[in-house]
């Protein structure tokens, strides 16, 4: 095992007094803004770009930091990211969908590798998208609801074909392949996580080792690459995130309508706004799991507000930022807290945009790569 730190012992940012004051827990949805305790208050942003071919200090450091991160990802393997001890739950494709849902809920996880025991091969990754597909299927074919108790995971391909969505994700990475390669595969497949699959030396059969997530990879970078502190350009000067044509909902919006938005735009979350456009919360794809707990796929007319009340008490809250927050502060937040996305707000708390871990990973890997040759 590599001596490079995985950051597993890192505690949330709220362990310091300054950070504690920045966290406002609102029921089941707290807001954490990196700008409130990470960005120096006296700094208004990097100086304007000079009217010459010479890069400013901030621009030059930004380029150097990105090169350092990529170099790190190319010399570290997917195996290096794994903690010293971890739990892995693998589901057989012959398992009932209803039982698989209960297993995810009982173990507090939102995805699991699939295994085909007939062929002894890795069969893909079960995620919240698959349950959303099942919901879509039963809404399009309500007569099929009577068969729900006999529906098995190996039938998911039939569901995908019936509703016309992409098949279950089967991309994987060998544990000794460079971490950079794992990141590129995730971006190319639009996957938010990638299973690590090895081959047994004696049986020559595949075996699932673990699952890498974008969060774990970016936290690994934040913990070990000090050059992330050089990423001092604010979001307003970077091509990171989505700021137009954003899907939104209100607390009164039926959950099924939000699910349709998730599927239509292939997104993992929808901001919840009040009548003035102020962000109240975020409905995430993982919230669907608690909504359909017990196998209830045909009662999704409940409101978003009612659905969010079903969240567990330990829900981490919603992380926010502004367009003036810098990437170094965001990496610091990732290092200290479990972050999956950042809601970009203006001074009045209104929605400006969304920054996902996919956006950050894509920027880190691809920004200026062509110029590097």
């Amino acid at each position: 095992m590599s001596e490079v730190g995985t950051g597993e012992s890192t505690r949330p940012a709220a362990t310091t007094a300054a950070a504690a004051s920045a966290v406002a827990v609102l029921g089941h949805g707290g807001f954490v803004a990196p700008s409130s305790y990470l960005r120096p208050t006296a700094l208004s942003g990097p100086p304007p770009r000079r009217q010459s071919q010479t890069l400013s200090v901030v621009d030059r450091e930004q380029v150097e930091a990105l090169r350092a991160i990529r170099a790190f990802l190319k010399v570290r393997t997917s195996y290096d990211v794994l903690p010293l001890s971890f739990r892995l739950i693998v589901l057989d494709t012959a398992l009932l969908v209803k039982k698989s849902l209960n297993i995810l809920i009982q173990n507090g996880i939102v995805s699991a590798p699939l295994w085909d025991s007939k062929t002894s091969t890795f069969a893909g990754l079960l995620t919240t998208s698959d349950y959303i597909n099942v919901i879509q299927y039963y809404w399009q074919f309500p007569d099929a609801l009577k068969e729900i108790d006999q529906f098995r995971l190996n039938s998911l391909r039939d569901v995908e074909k019936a509703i016309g969505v992409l098949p279950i994700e089967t991309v994987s990475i060998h544990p000794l392949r460079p971490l950079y390669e794992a990141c590129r595969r995730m971006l190319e497949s639009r996957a938010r996580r990638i299973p690590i699959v090895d081959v047994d030396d004696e049986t020559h059969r595949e075996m699932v080792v673990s699952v890498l997530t974008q969060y774990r990879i970016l936290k690994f970078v934040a913990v070990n690459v000090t050059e992330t502190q050089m990423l001092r350009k604010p979001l307003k000067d970077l091509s990171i995130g989505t700021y137009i044509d954003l899907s939104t909902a209100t607390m009164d919006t039926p959950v099924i309508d939000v699910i349709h938005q998730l599927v239509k735009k292939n997104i993992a979350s929808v901001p919840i706004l009040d009548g003035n456009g102020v962000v109240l919360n975020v409905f995430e794809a993982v919230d669907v799991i608690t909504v359909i707990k017990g196998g209830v796929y045909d009662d999704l007319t409940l409101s978003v507000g009612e659905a969010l009340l079903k969240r567990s008490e330990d829900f981490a809250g919603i992380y926010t930022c502004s367009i003036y927050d810098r990437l170094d502060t965001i990496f610091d937040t990732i290092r200290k807290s479990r972050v999956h996305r950042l809601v970009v707000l203006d001074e009045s708390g209104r929605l400006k945009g969304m920054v996902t871990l996919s956006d950050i990973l894509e920027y880190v890997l691809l920004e200026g790569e062509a110029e590097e040759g």
Side-chain angles (χ1 to χ4, degrees):
M1 176 64 69
S2 168
E3 295 181 356
V4 175
T6 62
E8 291 305 311
S9 60
T10 304
R11 291 291 180 261
T15 53
T16 65
S21 64
V23 181
V25 180
L26 307 177
H28 288 270
F31 289 85
V32 183
S35 61
S36 57
Y37 61 95
L38 290 174
R39 192 179 74 243
T41 55
L43 193 61
S44 59
R49 189 183 287 268
R50 298 172 186 169
Q51 300 298 318
S52 69
Q53 296 297 321
T54 304
L55 292 176
S56 68
V57 173
V58 171
D59 287 330
R60 187 169 61 250
E61 289 185 348
Q62 192 87 5
V63 172
E64 291 174 2
L66 293 177
R67 287 175 178 171
I69 293 172
R70 290 167 192 160
F72 176 80
L73 293 173
K74 289 176 181 178
V75 297
R76 292 296 166 185
T77 68
S78 300
Y79 184 78
D80 291 334
V81 187
L82 302 183
L84 293 176
S85 63
F86 59 89
R87 177 184 59 178
L88 177 67
I89 295 176
V90 181
L91 303 179
D92 194 293
T93 54
L95 187 69
L96 292 171
V97 170
K98 189 174 183 178
K99 288 187 176 180
S100 72
L101 178 63
N102 292 335
I103 291 173
L104 295 188
I105 293 174
Q106 290 170 8
N107 289 278
I109 56 178
V110 296
S111 67
L114 296 177
W115 185 259
D116 189 332
S117 56
K118 292 183 179 180
T119 59
S120 295
T121 56
F122 167 67
L125 190 67
L126 179 70
T127 68
T128 52
S129 295
D130 297 301
Y131 294 103
I132 289 176
N133 288 342
V134 173
I135 291 172
Q136 294 278 92
Y137 176 75
Y138 285 120
W139 272 79
Q140 292 183 32
F141 307 99
D143 291 341
L145 264 175
K146 59 181 179 294
E147 304 171 1
I148 184 63
D149 290 335
Q150 286 74 45
F151 197 68
R152 299 182 183 276
L153 294 176
N154 54 20
S155 301
L156 290 175
R157 289 294 176 93
D158 297 329
V159 168
E160 294 157 358
K161 292 178 181 177
I163 63 176
V165 298
L166 295 175
I168 192 170
E169 193 59 66
T170 56
V171 64
S172 64
I173 189 75
H174 188 276
L176 298 183
R177 295 301 301 166
L179 194 53
Y180 181 85
E181 182 179 327
C183 294
R184 291 302 295 256
R185 289 192 184 185
M186 292 172 74
L187 289 181
E188 291 167 2
S189 63
R190 297 182 61 83
R192 299 178 181 90
R193 48 182 61 81
I194 183 171
I196 301 177
V197 180
D198 201 351
V199 177
D200 188 276
D201 292 334
E202 296 182 359
T203 64
H204 302 291
R205 291 182 174 179
E206 292 181 330
M207 58 181 182
V208 183
V209 178
S210 186
V211 177
L212 276 183
T213 63
Q214 292 176 337
Y215 167 73
R216 187 176 291 280
I217 292 172
L218 290 174
K219 180 174 181 176
F220 187 63
V221 169
V223 169
N224 294 289
V225 184
T226 57
E227 285 84 354
T228 55
Q229 299 171 14
M230 297 164 60
L231 296 169
R232 296 190 292 121
K233 298 185 72 173
L235 289 178
K236 69 182 183 65
D237 294 338
L238 303 175
S239 300
I240 301 180
T242 303
Y243 299 88
I244 59 174
D245 195 27
L246 292 167
S247 294
T248 63
T250 69
M251 285 294 186
D252 296 324
T253 302
V255 168
I256 189 61
D257 290 349
V258 178
I259 290 175
H260 290 326
Q261 290 188 58
L262 295 174
V263 174
K264 182 179 180 180
K265 292 196 173 182
N266 191 26
I267 53 179
S269 63
V270 173
I272 309 303
L273 314 181
D274 68 6
N276 298 315
V278 174
V279 176
L280 301 176
N281 215 311
V282 175
F283 186 91
E284 303 175 351
V286 295
D287 289 317
V288 173
I289 291 182
T290 54
V291 170
I292 62 175
K293 182 179 180 180
V296 182
Y297 292 90
D298 58 340
D299 186 25
L300 296 172
T301 56
L302 75 164
S303 69
V304 165
E306 293 172 316
L308 294 180
L309 290 176
K310 296 178 179 290
R311 280 176 172 166
S312 63
E313 293 292 334
D314 60 354
F315 177 68
I318 304 303
Y319 287 80
T320 68
C321 67
S322 77
I323 58 173
Y324 302 102
D325 276 305
R326 306 178 327 205
L327 203 52
D328 62 338
T329 67
I330 292 176
F331 264 106
D332 206 13
T333 303
I334 292 173
R335 179 173 62 85
K336 296 175 179 179
S337 309
R338 181 171 287 276
V339 182
H340 295 290
R341 63 189 56 82
L342 291 156
V343 185
V344 186
L345 307 177
D346 65 12
E347 298 80 358
S348 301
R350 294 187 179 90
L351 179 67
K352 291 284 290 184
M354 294 286 288
V355 175
T356 67
L357 297 189
S358 296
D359 297 326
I360 297 173
L361 192 62
E362 181 175 1
Y363 174 81
V364 167
L365 261 65
L366 304 183
E367 177 65 23
E369 186 184 45
E371 287 79 356
E372 295 180 20

